Amino acid sequence: WYQRRVRGNIFDLNVNMVDEEDIGIVTLDFTIDKERANSMVLIEMTALTGYKFKKARVHDYLMQVGQIVSRYDIKEGGQRLQLYIDPSINAGRYELMIPVIEDFTVMNRVSAQVSILDYYNPSARQVGFYSSK
C-alpha cells in the first residue's frame, strides 16, 4: 500500500490504498471546515491504470455508509469517479472507503489523483495521490 497525506487549511486530505488480489480499497480521510460546511463539496478520483470503478461495488458501499454522499457519477469507462458530498453535513472529519476493481495487470503504475474541492469555488481545492504496490 501507499499513503500520502496532504495538509493544508482547506480539507486536510489523506489518501491511502490497500490492494487485495483483484480489488483495491482507496481510503479517503478528509476534513470539512466550518467555511465549507453547508456548501457543495465535490471529490474527484481517478483510477489507477488497470483499475476501474464499478457501479455495483461503489453503489453497494455508498448504501452502507449513509447519507454523506448525495450523488455519484462514474465517467470515462470507470476511470473517473465523482462524489458529491451532501451539503447538509456538519463540519468535521470524514472517511470514505471506495472499492476499485483490477481490470488488468500493469507494471510500474503511476500515482492516481484525488481532488476535493468546493463546488462553487473550485480554487478551494486539495489534491492527493495514491498508488498500489
Side-chain angles (χ1 to χ4, degrees), residues 26 28 30 43 45 53-74 81-86 95-99:
V26 180
L28 308 174
F30 59 95
I43 298 174
M45 302 176 65
F53 297 105
K54 301 279 187 174
K55 185 174 183 171
R57 292 283 185 131
V58 171
H59 181 77
D60 288 348
Y61 170 73
L62 292 175
M63 292 289 89
Q64 295 173 14
V65 298
Q67 297 301 322
I68 183 174
V69 176
S70 61
R71 180 179 143 203
Y72 70 95
D73 294 317
I74 297 175
L81 174 65
Q82 294 177 320
L83 302 168
Y84 296 84
I85 305 301
D86 190 327
E95 181 180 82
L96 292 171
M97 297 170 65
I98 306 298

Side-chain angles (χ1 to χ4, degrees), residues 24 26 35 47 49 54 90 100 110 113 116 119 124-125 131 133:
V26 180
E35 185 178 336
T49 303
K54 301 279 187 174
N90 295 322
V100 290
V110 296
Q113 180 175 307
I116 182 169
Y119 185 84
R125 167 187 304 260
S131 186
K133 304 177 200 175

Side-chain angles (χ1 to χ4, degrees), residues 20 31 35-36 52 72 83 86 98 103 111 125 132:
E20 294 181 11
T31 300
E35 185 178 336
R36 309 276 177 261
K52 287 186 177 181
Y72 70 95
L83 302 168
D86 190 327
I98 306 298
D103 204 28
S111 297
R125 167 187 304 260
S132 65

